[in-house]
Amino acid sequence: MKSSKRIDKEVCLMILSLLIAAMFIFIMITYYKRIMEDAGVTSEETNQEYQYHYEMIVDSRNLTFWNAVYENTREKALQHDAILEMKGIESAEDYSKADYMDMCIAAQVDGIILEYNGEEGLQEKIDEAVNKGIPVVTIVNDAPKSLRQSFVGINDYQLGQAYGAEVAKLVDSDTRSILILLNRVQELGQNQLYAQINSAVENAGQNHRIKIQSENIMSQSQFDTEEVIRSIFQSEEGPPQILVCLDEVTTECAYQAMIDYNMVGEVKIIGYYTSRTIMDAVGKGLIPVTISMDVEQIGTYSIEALTEYWEVGRANSYYTVDLNVITEDSSRKQEN
């Protein structure tokens, strides 16, 4: 009788152990699936073997610009027998881009696509990855002094000419100040974008002196950017008459501040990218113009550079993407 009870107890313990093991496996599968979904990787992709594993490291996975870039790049990667995952700095995480570079180097990935922002130590991480045989492609913002294989985007000189042309159209007799909000660390004296905008203003034919300044915004959350923008609008001298934004979140925060402080018409925003909020503002004439890089070309050229590296042993050092300039008139034509 006692033997029977002991057997029953052992069976119950075995069943309980199996249930715990099954639950653990289920939790791990669910957790892994969630990680893959966050990275934009489908179940079909995880079940298939690929020759190459690439990582994309950007400011935020939540921005529509970077989601669009990632989706286009991932599609191109799949066409070249590669899987692409994305890592982005989120406000709830303590990881920096340098930390993500360390993770990629430790994982021995086959390539890194990086949005460079001048973060301390990031250039050294690029060099470390390249020295360990991992090609690095910088996108949108370049790190020309690093060992990166390729840059995909547009240089500051060309970008400055594009923004300068739009600034010159907005300058009038009431313009006293222009502020350029940079999305990376850069010295003013070395900033070609600033130089080209300054040159365009000088050639605009206005006789009065216009103060042109730039400010580096390297926040890890929209809240931080909002605080910087609000401090600009609340400053003693007031906001600039023209505000040049170089990324999506800065543009949207500047637009919201302009509405909140009832300065529509007093502050002219030159925006970046074509999110729904930005395009709605452009369509209503509240943002005169927005400029965006071709996200499909960013994806195509990034994968082309990595593919060339592995197939040929080298890649072009520079890939120029197209800039799209969108105004109220052109946005209406697109809608029609």
Side-chain angles (χ1 to χ4, degrees):
M1 194 72 167
K2 288 183 179 179
S3 177
S4 177
K5 286 183 178 180
R6 187 172 64 250
I7 292 173
D8 289 343
K9 187 177 180 180
E10 290 176 353
V11 170
C12 289
L13 288 173
M14 187 179 296
I15 293 173
L16 182 61
S17 299
L18 290 173
L19 287 173
I20 292 173
M23 188 177 294
F24 176 76
I25 292 170
F26 174 76
I27 291 172
M28 291 303 296
I29 291 173
T30 303
Y31 176 70
Y32 179 74
K33 183 179 179 183
R34 192 184 71 182
I35 291 176
M36 291 299 100
E37 287 175 349
D38 287 343
V41 181
T42 65
S43 58
E44 289 80 4
E45 291 172 29
T46 58
N47 293 331
Q48 184 174 336
E49 290 188 4
Y50 293 89
Q51 186 174 2
Y52 304 110
H53 173 203
Y54 301 144
E55 287 280 359
M56 176 181 284
I57 304 173
V58 300
D59 270 346
S60 175
R61 294 174 297 185
N62 298 325
L63 295 181
T64 53
F65 174 77
W66 287 118
N67 271 295
V69 170
Y70 171 68
E71 285 301 323
N72 280 280
T73 311
R74 183 174 66 87
E75 288 179 12
K76 298 300 179 184
L78 291 173
Q79 294 171 14
H80 290 82
D81 198 19
I83 189 169
L84 175 71
E85 297 178 60
M86 178 167 64
K87 289 179 170 60
I89 300 173
E90 310 300 337
S91 58
E93 297 178 355
D94 295 327
Y95 298 125
S96 65
K97 284 184 176 177
D99 292 329
Y100 282 132
M101 287 292 291
D102 281 334
M103 295 178 194
C104 292
I105 293 169
Q108 296 181 324
V109 299
D110 299 302
I112 299 171
I113 300 170
L114 172 70
E115 180 211 3
Y116 184 74
N117 63 354
E119 177 186 304
E120 185 177 354
L122 193 54
Q123 180 174 307
E124 288 75 14
K125 294 300 178 184
I126 295 173
D127 294 348
E128 181 182 345
V130 173
N131 286 328
K132 291 185 177 180
I134 302 173
V136 178
V137 175
T138 54
I139 55 176
V140 179
N141 297 322
D142 195 13
K145 294 181 181 179
S146 71
L147 297 178
R148 59 94 174 123
Q149 263 69 36
S150 303
F151 167 61
V152 177
I154 186 167
N155 64 41
D156 280 354
Y157 177 84
Q158 296 167 308
L159 193 62
Q161 285 190 317
Y163 271 98
E166 300 308 317
V167 169
K169 295 175 186 176
L170 299 178
V171 169
D172 56 31
S173 58
D174 295 325
T175 306
R176 292 289 178 271
S177 63
I178 298 169
L179 181 61
I180 307 164
L181 296 176
L182 301 173
N183 57 351
R184 61 195 184 279
V185 173
Q186 194 169 48
E187 294 295 329
L188 184 62
Q190 300 174 348
N191 190 344
Q192 273 294 327
L193 188 146
Y194 167 85
Q196 293 307 307
I197 291 177
N198 187 61
S199 176
V201 171
E202 288 180 355
N203 295 329
Q206 295 295 330
N207 295 324
H208 63 285
R209 183 172 178 79
I210 299 175
K211 184 179 181 182
I212 304 176
Q213 295 177 298
S214 69
E215 184 171 340
N216 294 317
I217 297 182
M218 278 197 53
S219 62
Q220 293 187 10
S221 72
Q222 182 167 332
F223 176 79
D224 293 336
T225 303
E226 287 173 354
E227 289 297 300
V228 174
I229 298 296
R230 289 187 182 279
S231 67
I232 291 170
F233 275 78
Q234 292 176 322
S235 62
E236 290 184 8
E237 63 272 20
Q241 285 71 51
I242 298 177
L243 196 56
V244 179
C245 303
L246 297 177
D247 61 57
E248 176 188 345
V249 67
T250 303
T251 303
E252 293 187 356
C253 288
Y255 170 59
Q256 188 59 52
M258 182 182 70
I259 299 295
D260 292 344
Y261 291 103
N262 195 26
M263 290 189 173
V264 175
E266 297 180 38
V267 177
K268 301 170 184 176
I269 297 172
I270 298 180
Y272 183 84
Y273 194 51
T274 56
S275 70
R276 183 175 298 179
T277 299
I278 296 171
M279 288 303 291
D280 182 60
V282 172
K284 292 176 180 177
L286 301 178
I287 293 180
V289 60
T290 187
I291 296 175
S292 180
M293 294 185 194
D294 190 309
V295 294
E296 185 173 348
Q297 288 182 353
I298 293 174
T300 298
Y301 295 150
S302 296
I303 299 303
E304 183 178 310
L306 291 175
T307 302
E308 257 190 61
Y309 174 83
W310 287 115
E311 292 182 353
V312 183
R314 58 176 174 76
N316 292 337
S317 60
Y318 189 77
Y319 293 80
T320 304
V321 302
D322 293 334
L323 276 180
N324 300 315
V325 178
I326 303 167
T327 62
E328 182 180 0
D329 290 338
S330 60
S331 68
R332 287 178 178 173
K333 289 178 182 178
Q334 287 182 5
E335 290 176 359
N336 297 330

